[in-house]
Amino acid sequence: MILRIFLILTLTQAVLPAQSDDGPFPPHKIIGNIYYVGSAELASFLITTPRGHILINSSYERTVPLIEASVEKLGFHFRDINILLDSHAHGDHVEGNPLVKKLTGATVMVMQGDEKSVPGSIDRVLRNGEQVKLGGAVLTARLTPGHTRGATTWTTKVTEGGKTYDVVIVSSINVNPGYILVNNTKYPEIADDYRRAFEVLRSLPCDVFLAPHGKQYGLAEKYSKLGAGPNPFIDPQGYKAYLDNGEKLFLGKLEEQKRGGK
Ligand SMILES: [Zn+2]
């Protein structure tokens, strides 16, 4: 009995903070054939094609019904998701993978380096630069490691109003609390990997940038401007500012840990 109460308390504590982040957000078209189908905090992107759809990020298992409802609300069918991809192998982006696969039969593709950390079965392990193609959509998987070993930034091109735009769906450049950048025995090359990620991200042409957490790319603010004037998601300056800020935070933490002699 005591054990049971303990377990319930532990589970509740583990679940509650994340759940409060996990409310619904209006599904919407971002640009071209890319749609937002995630929650208020956790971003999931749907790339639609005449041959079925691609979903990026299953989020938590409990987020999957919300994603499903968003897809259907936009007039698409959840069961038409043929390919499931992710930003990186942290639970808030991939925990729902087995459920999405069960409900849709989607082919699951994961970047090399993250394949052991993603729950459920994986159908294809991707290498840096490989392309995922479906019904005319082409997504390129770019390894931008550090946040995880297989952290994946997705790039694609979309057309809207006769113009072509470069879209970059950034993996994550955050250095999470508790990350060890100096003398990390489990991930010795972590700092070099972050540097490599920034180098890759800076080399990418970008008109529209997206990320696995809405607040990383200004989701709420940009969404509120939709329909009034130019597409608010076209934001090359925002992308540069995001990288500048992320790199500054990374270098600051690196220096701090070097000084700390860790
Ligand atoms: Zn993460």
Side-chain angles (χ1 to χ4, degrees):
M1 186 63 184
I2 287 169
L3 180 67
R4 204 167 152 195
I5 289 167
F6 172 76
L7 274 176
I8 289 166
L9 283 175
T10 312
L11 283 173
T12 309
Q13 275 166 353
V15 162
L16 273 181
Q19 227 169 16
S20 62
D21 290 336
D22 232 3
F25 193 88
H28 55 273
K29 178 177 170 167
I30 298 167
I31 192 165
N33 59 337
I34 305 182
Y35 296 81
Y36 187 86
V37 293
S39 67
E41 168 53 19
L42 300 172
S44 294
F45 304 104
L46 187 75
I47 293 102
T48 62
T49 92
R51 303 274 312 271
H53 314 311
I54 301 170
L55 179 69
I56 300 180
N57 295 335
S58 64
S59 300
Y60 288 116
E61 189 180 55
R62 63 174 174 274
T63 323
V64 172
L66 186 154
I67 296 170
E68 179 174 14
S70 291
V71 171
E72 300 285 330
K73 208 169 167 184
L74 289 168
F76 302 108
H77 294 301
F78 192 70
R79 62 170 183 272
D80 291 338
I81 291 169
N82 284 355
I83 296 175
L84 176 60
L85 309 173
D86 67 74
S87 295
H88 61 264
H90 281 162
D92 50 348
H93 311 301
V94 298
E95 189 196 272
N97 273 26
L99 181 56
V100 170
K101 189 170 175 62
K102 189 179 140 194
L103 294 171
T104 65
T107 301
V108 179
M109 305 184 191
V110 175
M111 180 68 88
Q112 196 170 36
D114 269 5
E115 76 274 21
K116 290 189 185 87
S117 318
V118 171
S121 59
I122 293 167
D123 302 292
R124 179 176 158 195
V125 176
L126 298 162
R127 281 168 305 174
N128 183 29
E130 280 192 326
Q131 292 186 324
V132 173
K133 295 180 182 176
L134 182 71
V138 181
L139 274 74
T140 304
R142 303 296 307 256
L143 178 65
T144 48
H147 189 78
T148 65
R149 285 178 187 269
T152 313
T153 292
W154 294 99
T155 60
T156 190
K157 283 182 191 290
V158 296
T159 48
E160 191 170 88
K163 282 188 179 173
T164 303
Y165 297 95
D166 285 296
V167 179
V168 177
I169 306 175
V170 179
S171 170
S172 179
I173 47 175
N174 279 26
V175 179
N176 286 6
Y179 268 37
I180 299 166
L181 300 172
V182 178
N183 297 331
N184 183 331
T185 50
K186 284 187 188 145
Y187 190 174
E189 69 280 27
I190 185 168
D192 287 340
D193 274 3
Y194 268 103
R195 284 197 192 91
R196 177 180 170 185
F198 285 111
E199 203 174 299
V200 170
L201 291 169
R202 287 195 187 282
S203 76
L204 300 174
C206 176
D207 300 302
V208 175
F209 89 102
L210 304 167
H213 292 272
K215 61 175 175 252
Q216 291 168 337
Y217 70 94
L219 164 67
E221 198 199 333
K222 286 175 177 171
Y223 174 74
S224 73
K225 290 180 187 159
L226 257 185
N231 188 329
F233 293 103
I234 300 170
D235 183 20
Q237 292 307 318
Y239 179 62
K240 283 200 183 77
Y242 169 71
L243 293 182
D244 287 345
N245 187 49
E247 195 163 23
K248 209 173 117 189
L249 288 170
F250 159 70
L251 291 171
K253 285 189 182 180
L254 184 64
E255 276 312 306
E256 195 184 307
Q257 291 192 15
K258 277 183 179 166
R259 276 201 307 273
K262 279 183 203 165

